[in-house]
Amino acid sequence: SVYILNLTVHPTYEFTENAAIGNGDSYNWHGQNLSTQGTYYDSLSTVQGCDSVYILNLTVHPTYEFTENTAICNGDSYNWHGQNFSTQGTYYDSLSTVQGCDSVYMLNLTIHPTYEFTENAAICNGDSYNWHGQNLNSQGSYYDSLSTVQGCDSVYILNLIVNDLPMVSLNGLNTFYCVYHDAVVMTGTPAGGIFSGQGVSGNEFTPSTAGLGTWPIVYSYTNSNSCTGNDTVWVEVDACMGTSENESLYFKLFPNPNSGQFTIVINEDMYITVFSLLGIEVYKGFYVKGTHVLNMQYLPAGIYNLCYEGKNIFEIETIIIQRQ
């Protein structure tokens, strides 16, 4: 009995595939999404029912992420990867590795604030304003800067105004009075100020209240800018004893005190010379016997010495020139 076997050997197949992805990506292979490096297998049957083996060698190339934290001051800019940034936020950039995978760069940019403080101030002319350790007395804008804890500037600005003092004058007051003279009414310009000093009550000066001596009488006025101007008149109050009207054998002078105009009666020709209390000659003239009116109203109010010098006389008399 003869048995005959016809044996057929059908082939099997093996397919190897090499693939690479970047970290974080996935690779779809035979219906699977693969993201981990390794070797993967799958098998299919041929039409003859033999296995065909598929092999995947999957390489996962690394990707990189670089994070940078930076802070700048408001108004500055930061150059990063060729760009200038001045607004707070998070910025991204990517570069490819030699394997073609992304390297991600991330910038966290913080903007620290800067500050500007403006101050307006006003002073009166002649005063000074202390600002940040400086004494300022000229009108203008001044600047100073300090650093915050983050190293950013804080700018301080001062706008300083210098107001003029008011123009003030004291009127109606002479520089010399006898203690027995009546009170005088003073006026001040601009109106509405304050009179002060020895012998002052309201807007009146009374010599007897002031007493003997030389006194400063002040008129002060403060304007709408709170700046105060002053005018001062120094007033001398004298006892004026024995100087009302003098008479001798050779001359007579009246009135005394006077306003600078007075009358002399002389009994012989003589020179009359007037000296200030400092001994300065302020007038000299020759007069013949008779009555003469002398006008010296151009002289300032005060006490003067009048010298009579003739053939039979050489005497000195005190005269008082005052203004009402």
Side-chain angles (χ1 to χ4, degrees), residues 156-216:
Y156 293 81
I157 303 173
L158 170 67
N159 297 314
L160 182 62
I161 297 174
V162 179
N163 292 313
D164 290 330
L165 300 180
M167 300 297 293
V168 177
S169 63
L170 170 58
N171 307 301
L173 194 64
N174 295 329
T175 58
F176 181 86
Y177 290 97
C178 293
V179 71
Y180 49 77
H181 283 150
D182 294 334
V184 294
V185 176
M186 301 175 290
T187 59
T189 305
I194 298 174
F195 298 92
S196 61
Q198 189 82 1
V200 172
S201 176
N203 65 336
E204 290 189 348
F205 171 74
T206 305
S208 59
T209 302
L212 303 181
T214 302
W215 312 110

Short mmCIF file of all heavy atoms in Angstrom, two decimals, residues 156-216:
data_model
loop_
_atom_site.label_atom_id
_atom_site.label_comp_id
_atom_site.label_asym_id
_atom_site.label_seq_id
_atom_site.Cartn_x
_atom_site.Cartn_y
_atom_site.Cartn_z
N TYR A 156 9.54 112.40 42.99
CA TYR A 156 8.83 113.43 43.76
C TYR A 156 9.00 114.76 43.03
O TYR A 156 10.11 115.13 42.65
CB TYR A 156 9.37 113.54 45.18
CG TYR A 156 9.10 112.31 46.02
CD1 TYR A 156 9.91 111.18 45.91
CD2 TYR A 156 8.05 112.27 46.91
CE1 TYR A 156 9.66 110.04 46.68
CE2 TYR A 156 7.79 111.14 47.68
CZ TYR A 156 8.60 110.04 47.55
OH TYR A 156 8.36 108.92 48.30
N ILE A 157 7.88 115.45 42.84
CA ILE A 157 7.89 116.73 42.13
C ILE A 157 7.29 117.79 43.04
O ILE A 157 6.22 117.60 43.62
CB ILE A 157 7.09 116.66 40.82
CG1 ILE A 157 7.65 115.55 39.91
CG2 ILE A 157 7.11 118.00 40.09
CD1 ILE A 157 6.79 115.29 38.68
N LEU A 158 8.00 118.91 43.16
CA LEU A 158 7.48 120.05 43.93
C LEU A 158 7.33 121.24 43.00
O LEU A 158 8.29 121.67 42.35
CB LEU A 158 8.45 120.42 45.07
CG LEU A 158 8.14 121.73 45.79
CD1 LEU A 158 6.82 121.62 46.56
CD2 LEU A 158 9.26 122.12 46.74
N ASN A 159 6.11 121.76 42.92
CA ASN A 159 5.84 123.02 42.21
C ASN A 159 5.75 124.12 43.26
O ASN A 159 4.77 124.19 44.00
CB ASN A 159 4.55 122.92 41.41
CG ASN A 159 4.63 121.85 40.32
OD1 ASN A 159 5.61 121.78 39.59
ND2 ASN A 159 3.62 121.01 40.21
N LEU A 160 6.79 124.95 43.32
CA LEU A 160 6.87 125.97 44.36
C LEU A 160 6.56 127.34 43.78
O LEU A 160 7.16 127.77 42.79
CB LEU A 160 8.28 125.98 44.98
CG LEU A 160 8.51 126.96 46.12
CD1 LEU A 160 7.61 126.63 47.30
CD2 LEU A 160 9.97 126.95 46.56
N ILE A 161 5.61 128.03 44.41
CA ILE A 161 5.24 129.39 44.04
C ILE A 161 5.73 130.35 45.12
O ILE A 161 5.54 130.10 46.31
CB ILE A 161 3.71 129.52 43.87
CG1 ILE A 161 3.23 128.61 42.73
CG2 ILE A 161 3.30 130.96 43.62
CD1 ILE A 161 1.73 128.57 42.58
N VAL A 162 6.37 131.44 44.70
CA VAL A 162 6.83 132.47 45.62
C VAL A 162 5.97 133.72 45.41
O VAL A 162 6.02 134.34 44.34
CB VAL A 162 8.32 132.80 45.41
CG1 VAL A 162 8.76 133.90 46.37
CG2 VAL A 162 9.18 131.55 45.62
N ASN A 163 5.15 134.03 46.40
CA ASN A 163 4.25 135.18 46.30
C ASN A 163 4.95 136.44 46.79
O ASN A 163 5.70 136.41 47.77
CB ASN A 163 2.99 134.94 47.14
CG ASN A 163 2.12 133.84 46.57
OD1 ASN A 163 1.87 133.81 45.38
ND2 ASN A 163 1.68 132.92 47.42
N ASP A 164 4.70 137.54 46.09
CA ASP A 164 5.28 138.83 46.48
C ASP A 164 4.65 139.34 47.76
O ASP A 164 3.47 139.07 48.05
CB ASP A 164 5.07 139.87 45.37
CG ASP A 164 5.91 139.56 44.14
OD1 ASP A 164 7.00 138.98 44.31
OD2 ASP A 164 5.47 139.91 43.02
N LEU A 165 5.44 140.09 48.52
CA LEU A 165 4.91 140.76 49.71
C LEU A 165 4.11 141.99 49.28
O LEU A 165 4.43 142.63 48.28
CB LEU A 165 6.05 141.19 50.63
CG LEU A 165 6.96 140.08 51.17
CD1 LEU A 165 8.03 140.69 52.07
CD2 LEU A 165 6.17 139.04 51.92
N PRO A 166 3.07 142.33 50.01
CA PRO A 166 2.32 143.53 49.65
C PRO A 166 3.15 144.79 49.90
O PRO A 166 3.99 144.84 50.80
CB PRO A 166 1.11 143.47 50.60
CG PRO A 166 1.57 142.64 51.76
CD PRO A 166 2.52 141.64 51.19
N MET A 167 2.94 145.80 49.06
CA MET A 167 3.59 147.09 49.24
C MET A 167 2.80 147.87 50.30
O MET A 167 1.62 148.16 50.11
CB MET A 167 3.62 147.86 47.92
CG MET A 167 4.37 147.14 46.81
SD MET A 167 6.12 146.89 47.21
CE MET A 167 6.68 148.60 47.18
N VAL A 168 3.47 148.18 51.40
CA VAL A 168 2.80 148.75 52.56
C VAL A 168 3.43 150.10 52.90
O VAL A 168 4.67 150.25 52.83
CB VAL A 168 2.90 147.80 53.77
CG1 VAL A 168 2.28 148.41 55.01
CG2 VAL A 168 2.23 146.47 53.45
N SER A 169 2.61 151.08 53.28
CA SER A 169 3.14 152.38 53.72
C SER A 169 2.34 152.87 54.92
O SER A 169 1.13 152.65 55.03
CB SER A 169 3.07 153.40 52.58
OG SER A 169 1.74 153.64 52.18
N LEU A 170 3.06 153.52 55.82
CA LEU A 170 2.49 154.12 57.02
C LEU A 170 2.52 155.63 56.85
O LEU A 170 3.58 156.23 56.61
CB LEU A 170 3.29 153.69 58.26
CG LEU A 170 2.98 154.39 59.58
CD1 LEU A 170 1.52 154.22 59.96
CD2 LEU A 170 3.88 153.84 60.68
N ASN A 171 1.35 156.27 56.96
CA ASN A 171 1.24 157.70 56.69
C ASN A 171 0.64 158.42 57.89
O ASN A 171 0.00 157.82 58.76
CB ASN A 171 0.34 157.93 55.47
CG ASN A 171 0.79 157.14 54.25
OD1 ASN A 171 1.91 157.30 53.79
ND2 ASN A 171 -0.08 156.27 53.77
N GLY A 172 0.88 159.76 57.91
CA GLY A 172 0.29 160.61 58.94
C GLY A 172 1.10 160.70 60.21
O GLY A 172 0.62 161.26 61.20
N LEU A 173 2.34 160.17 60.20
CA LEU A 173 3.14 160.14 61.42
C LEU A 173 4.46 160.87 61.19
O LEU A 173 5.17 160.60 60.22
CB LEU A 173 3.40 158.69 61.84
CG LEU A 173 3.94 158.45 63.25
CD1 LEU A 173 2.91 158.89 64.28
CD2 LEU A 173 4.27 156.97 63.43
N ASN A 174 4.78 161.82 62.07
CA ASN A 174 6.07 162.51 62.01
C ASN A 174 7.11 161.71 62.78
O ASN A 174 6.80 160.77 63.52
CB ASN A 174 5.96 163.92 62.60
CG ASN A 174 5.04 164.80 61.78
OD1 ASN A 174 4.93 164.63 60.57
ND2 ASN A 174 4.36 165.73 62.43
N THR A 175 8.35 162.11 62.61
CA THR A 175 9.44 161.41 63.30
C THR A 175 9.79 162.07 64.63
O THR A 175 10.66 161.54 65.36
CB THR A 175 10.70 161.37 62.41
OG1 THR A 175 11.08 162.71 62.07
CG2 THR A 175 10.43 160.58 61.13
N PHE A 176 9.13 163.21 64.96
CA PHE A 176 9.43 163.88 66.22
C PHE A 176 8.15 164.48 66.79
O PHE A 176 7.36 165.10 66.08
CB PHE A 176 10.46 164.99 66.02
CG PHE A 176 10.82 165.70 67.30
CD1 PHE A 176 11.83 165.20 68.11
CD2 PHE A 176 10.14 166.84 67.70
CE1 PHE A 176 12.15 165.84 69.30
CE2 PHE A 176 10.46 167.48 68.88
CZ PHE A 176 11.48 166.97 69.69
N TYR A 177 7.98 164.28 68.13
CA TYR A 177 6.86 164.89 68.85
C TYR A 177 7.34 165.29 70.23
O TYR A 177 8.22 164.64 70.82
CB TYR A 177 5.69 163.90 68.99
CG TYR A 177 4.99 163.59 67.70
CD1 TYR A 177 5.32 162.45 66.99
CD2 TYR A 177 4.01 164.44 67.20
CE1 TYR A 177 4.68 162.15 65.79
CE2 TYR A 177 3.36 164.14 66.01
CZ TYR A 177 3.70 163.00 65.31
OH TYR A 177 3.07 162.73 64.14
N CYS A 178 6.74 166.38 70.70
CA CYS A 178 6.92 166.72 72.10
C CYS A 178 5.92 165.90 72.91
O CYS A 178 4.84 165.53 72.42
CB CYS A 178 6.67 168.21 72.33
SG CYS A 178 7.92 169.27 71.56
N VAL A 179 6.29 165.61 74.14
CA VAL A 179 5.48 164.71 74.94
C VAL A 179 4.09 165.27 75.20
O VAL A 179 3.14 164.52 75.44
CB VAL A 179 6.21 164.40 76.26
CG1 VAL A 179 6.21 165.63 77.17
CG2 VAL A 179 5.60 163.19 76.96
N TYR A 180 3.94 166.59 75.11
CA TYR A 180 2.65 167.20 75.39
C TYR A 180 1.78 167.33 74.15
O TYR A 180 0.66 167.86 74.21
CB TYR A 180 2.84 168.59 76.04
CG TYR A 180 3.80 169.49 75.31
CD1 TYR A 180 3.42 170.14 74.15
CD2 TYR A 180 5.09 169.70 75.82
CE1 TYR A 180 4.31 170.97 73.49
CE2 TYR A 180 5.97 170.53 75.17
CZ TYR A 180 5.59 171.17 74.00
OH TYR A 180 6.47 171.98 73.36
N HIS A 181 2.25 166.90 72.98
CA HIS A 181 1.44 167.01 71.77
C HIS A 181 0.23 166.07 71.83
O HIS A 181 0.25 165.04 72.51
CB HIS A 181 2.27 166.69 70.53
CG HIS A 181 3.17 167.80 70.12
ND1 HIS A 181 4.37 167.61 69.49
CD2 HIS A 181 3.04 169.15 70.28
CE1 HIS A 181 4.95 168.77 69.25
NE2 HIS A 181 4.16 169.72 69.74
N ASP A 182 -0.81 166.47 71.06
CA ASP A 182 -2.02 165.67 71.01
C ASP A 182 -1.79 164.39 70.22
O ASP A 182 -0.82 164.25 69.46
CB ASP A 182 -3.16 166.46 70.35
CG ASP A 182 -3.58 167.67 71.19
OD1 ASP A 182 -3.38 167.60 72.42
OD2 ASP A 182 -4.08 168.65 70.60
N ALA A 183 -2.71 163.44 70.39
CA ALA A 183 -2.65 162.19 69.64
C ALA A 183 -2.84 162.48 68.15
O ALA A 183 -3.54 163.42 67.75
CB ALA A 183 -3.73 161.24 70.13
N VAL A 184 -2.18 161.69 67.31
CA VAL A 184 -2.28 161.84 65.86
C VAL A 184 -2.92 160.57 65.29
O VAL A 184 -2.73 159.46 65.80
CB VAL A 184 -0.91 162.10 65.22
CG1 VAL A 184 -0.36 163.43 65.65
CG2 VAL A 184 0.07 160.99 65.58
N VAL A 185 -3.66 160.77 64.22
CA VAL A 185 -4.32 159.66 63.54
C VAL A 185 -3.43 159.19 62.39
O VAL A 185 -3.00 159.99 61.55
CB VAL A 185 -5.71 160.08 63.01
CG1 VAL A 185 -6.35 158.94 62.22
CG2 VAL A 185 -6.60 160.49 64.17
N MET A 186 -3.19 157.90 62.36
CA MET A 186 -2.35 157.31 61.31
C MET A 186 -3.22 156.61 60.28
O MET A 186 -4.32 156.16 60.58
CB MET A 186 -1.38 156.29 61.93
CG MET A 186 -0.46 156.87 63.00
SD MET A 186 0.55 155.58 63.79
CE MET A 186 -0.70 154.70 64.75
N THR A 187 -2.72 156.54 59.06
CA THR A 187 -3.38 155.76 58.01
C THR A 187 -2.37 154.80 57.41
O THR A 187 -1.16 155.07 57.39
CB THR A 187 -3.95 156.67 56.91
OG1 THR A 187 -2.88 157.43 56.33
CG2 THR A 187 -5.01 157.60 57.46
N GLY A 188 -2.87 153.69 56.97
CA GLY A 188 -2.01 152.68 56.34
C GLY A 188 -2.53 152.30 54.98
O GLY A 188 -3.73 152.30 54.72
N THR A 189 -1.61 152.01 54.08
CA THR A 189 -1.95 151.56 52.73
C THR A 189 -1.27 150.22 52.46
O THR A 189 -0.06 150.11 52.67
CB THR A 189 -1.49 152.59 51.68
OG1 THR A 189 -2.04 153.88 52.01
CG2 THR A 189 -1.94 152.19 50.29
N PRO A 190 -2.03 149.21 52.00
CA PRO A 190 -3.48 149.15 51.81
C PRO A 190 -4.22 149.19 53.15
O PRO A 190 -3.65 148.86 54.19
CB PRO A 190 -3.68 147.79 51.12
CG PRO A 190 -2.34 147.36 50.63
CD PRO A 190 -1.35 147.97 51.56
N ALA A 191 -5.48 149.57 53.08
CA ALA A 191 -6.27 149.65 54.31
C ALA A 191 -6.57 148.26 54.83
O ALA A 191 -6.55 147.28 54.10
CB ALA A 191 -7.57 150.40 54.03
N GLY A 192 -6.82 148.22 56.14
CA GLY A 192 -7.20 146.95 56.75
C GLY A 192 -6.08 146.28 57.52
O GLY A 192 -6.26 145.16 58.01
N GLY A 193 -4.94 146.93 57.66
CA GLY A 193 -3.83 146.35 58.40
C GLY A 193 -3.89 146.68 59.88
O GLY A 193 -4.90 147.16 60.40
N ILE A 194 -2.77 146.44 60.56
CA ILE A 194 -2.71 146.60 62.01
C ILE A 194 -1.55 147.54 62.35
O ILE A 194 -0.42 147.36 61.87
CB ILE A 194 -2.51 145.24 62.71
CG1 ILE A 194 -3.70 144.33 62.41
CG2 ILE A 194 -2.34 145.42 64.20
CD1 ILE A 194 -3.53 142.92 62.94
N PHE A 195 -1.84 148.53 63.22
CA PHE A 195 -0.82 149.42 63.76
C PHE A 195 -0.34 148.86 65.09
O PHE A 195 -1.14 148.38 65.91
CB PHE A 195 -1.37 150.83 63.97
CG PHE A 195 -1.84 151.50 62.71
CD1 PHE A 195 -3.17 151.40 62.30
CD2 PHE A 195 -0.96 152.22 61.92
CE1 PHE A 195 -3.62 152.01 61.15
CE2 PHE A 195 -1.39 152.84 60.76
CZ PHE A 195 -2.72 152.73 60.36
N SER A 196 0.96 148.97 65.34
CA SER A 196 1.49 148.49 66.62
C SER A 196 2.70 149.33 67.01
O SER A 196 3.33 149.97 66.17
CB SER A 196 1.90 147.01 66.52
OG SER A 196 2.91 146.83 65.55
N GLY A 197 2.99 149.32 68.30
CA GLY A 197 4.13 150.07 68.80
C GLY A 197 3.79 150.80 70.09
O GLY A 197 2.64 150.83 70.54
N GLN A 198 4.82 151.39 70.69
CA GLN A 198 4.66 152.13 71.93
C GLN A 198 3.75 153.33 71.71
O GLN A 198 3.95 154.11 70.78
CB GLN A 198 6.04 152.59 72.42
CG GLN A 198 6.07 153.17 73.81
CD GLN A 198 6.10 152.09 74.89
OE1 GLN A 198 6.14 150.91 74.56
NE2 GLN A 198 6.09 152.48 76.14
N GLY A 199 2.72 153.48 72.55
CA GLY A 199 1.84 154.63 72.46
C GLY A 199 0.77 154.50 71.40
O GLY A 199 0.09 155.48 71.10
N VAL A 200 0.60 153.29 70.80
CA VAL A 200 -0.38 153.09 69.73
C VAL A 200 -1.63 152.45 70.30
O VAL A 200 -1.57 151.47 71.04
CB VAL A 200 0.20 152.21 68.61
CG1 VAL A 200 -0.87 151.86 67.58
CG2 VAL A 200 1.36 152.93 67.93
N SER A 201 -2.77 153.02 69.92
CA SER A 201 -4.05 152.42 70.25
C SER A 201 -4.93 152.54 69.01
O SER A 201 -5.27 153.67 68.59
CB SER A 201 -4.71 153.14 71.43
OG SER A 201 -6.00 152.61 71.69
N GLY A 202 -5.27 151.40 68.42
CA GLY A 202 -6.02 151.45 67.17
C GLY A 202 -5.16 152.08 66.10
O GLY A 202 -4.08 151.58 65.77
N ASN A 203 -5.63 153.19 65.54
CA ASN A 203 -4.86 153.90 64.52
C ASN A 203 -4.37 155.26 65.03
O ASN A 203 -4.11 156.16 64.24
CB ASN A 203 -5.69 154.09 63.25
CG ASN A 203 -6.89 154.98 63.47
OD1 ASN A 203 -7.38 155.11 64.59
ND2 ASN A 203 -7.38 155.60 62.40
N GLU A 204 -4.25 155.40 66.36
CA GLU A 204 -3.77 156.66 66.95
C GLU A 204 -2.46 156.44 67.68
O GLU A 204 -2.25 155.40 68.32
CB GLU A 204 -4.80 157.23 67.92
CG GLU A 204 -6.05 157.77 67.24
CD GLU A 204 -6.94 158.52 68.23
OE1 GLU A 204 -6.68 158.43 69.45
OE2 GLU A 204 -7.87 159.22 67.78
N PHE A 205 -1.59 157.46 67.56
CA PHE A 205 -0.34 157.48 68.32
C PHE A 205 -0.41 158.66 69.28
O PHE A 205 -0.62 159.80 68.86
CB PHE A 205 0.87 157.62 67.40
CG PHE A 205 2.15 157.86 68.15
CD1 PHE A 205 2.78 156.83 68.84
CD2 PHE A 205 2.73 159.13 68.17
CE1 PHE A 205 3.96 157.05 69.53
CE2 PHE A 205 3.91 159.36 68.86
CZ PHE A 205 4.53 158.32 69.55
N THR A 206 -0.20 158.38 70.57
CA THR A 206 -0.24 159.42 71.60
C THR A 206 1.14 159.56 72.22
O THR A 206 1.63 158.62 72.87
CB THR A 206 -1.27 159.07 72.69
OG1 THR A 206 -2.54 158.82 72.09
CG2 THR A 206 -1.38 160.19 73.70
N PRO A 207 1.81 160.71 72.02
CA PRO A 207 3.17 160.88 72.55
C PRO A 207 3.25 160.67 74.06
O PRO A 207 4.20 160.05 74.55
CB PRO A 207 3.53 162.32 72.15
CG PRO A 207 2.69 162.59 70.95
CD PRO A 207 1.41 161.87 71.17
N SER A 208 2.27 161.22 74.82
CA SER A 208 2.35 161.09 76.27
C SER A 208 2.21 159.63 76.71
O SER A 208 2.79 159.21 77.71
CB SER A 208 1.26 161.94 76.93
OG SER A 208 -0.04 161.53 76.50
N THR A 209 1.47 158.83 75.98
CA THR A 209 1.34 157.41 76.29
C THR A 209 2.62 156.66 75.96
O THR A 209 3.04 155.77 76.69
CB THR A 209 0.16 156.80 75.52
OG1 THR A 209 -1.04 157.51 75.86
CG2 THR A 209 -0.03 155.33 75.87
N ALA A 210 3.24 157.05 74.83
CA ALA A 210 4.49 156.40 74.44
C ALA A 210 5.59 156.70 75.45
O ALA A 210 6.39 155.83 75.80
CB ALA A 210 4.90 156.85 73.04
N GLY A 211 5.66 157.96 75.93
CA GLY A 211 6.71 158.35 76.85
C GLY A 211 7.96 158.79 76.13
O GLY A 211 8.08 158.68 74.90
N LEU A 212 8.92 159.33 76.88
CA LEU A 212 10.15 159.85 76.29
C LEU A 212 10.97 158.70 75.71
O LEU A 212 11.10 157.63 76.30
CB LEU A 212 10.96 160.62 77.33
CG LEU A 212 10.25 161.79 78.02
CD1 LEU A 212 11.19 162.46 79.01
CD2 LEU A 212 9.73 162.79 77.00
N GLY A 213 11.54 158.94 74.55
CA GLY A 213 12.36 157.92 73.90
C GLY A 213 12.11 157.90 72.41
O GLY A 213 11.37 158.73 71.86
N THR A 214 12.76 156.96 71.74
CA THR A 214 12.58 156.76 70.30
C THR A 214 11.95 155.40 70.08
O THR A 214 12.51 154.38 70.51
CB THR A 214 13.93 156.85 69.56
OG1 THR A 214 14.53 158.14 69.83
CG2 THR A 214 13.73 156.70 68.06
N TRP A 215 10.80 155.40 69.40
CA TRP A 215 9.99 154.18 69.33
C TRP A 215 9.71 153.79 67.88
O TRP A 215 9.42 154.66 67.05
CB TRP A 215 8.65 154.38 70.06
CG TRP A 215 8.78 154.99 71.41
CD1 TRP A 215 8.42 156.24 71.80
CD2 TRP A 215 9.33 154.35 72.57
NE1 TRP A 215 8.69 156.45 73.13
CE2 TRP A 215 9.26 155.28 73.63
CE3 TRP A 215 9.88 153.10 72.82
CZ2 TRP A 215 9.72 155.01 74.91
CZ3 TRP A 215 10.32 152.81 74.09
CH2 TRP A 215 10.24 153.76 75.12
N PRO A 216 9.77 152.49 67.59
CA PRO A 216 9.36 152.04 66.25
C PRO A 216 7.84 151.85 66.21
O PRO A 216 7.27 151.11 67.01
CB PRO A 216 10.09 150.70 66.10
CG PRO A 216 10.26 150.19 67.50
CD PRO A 216 10.38 151.39 68.38
#
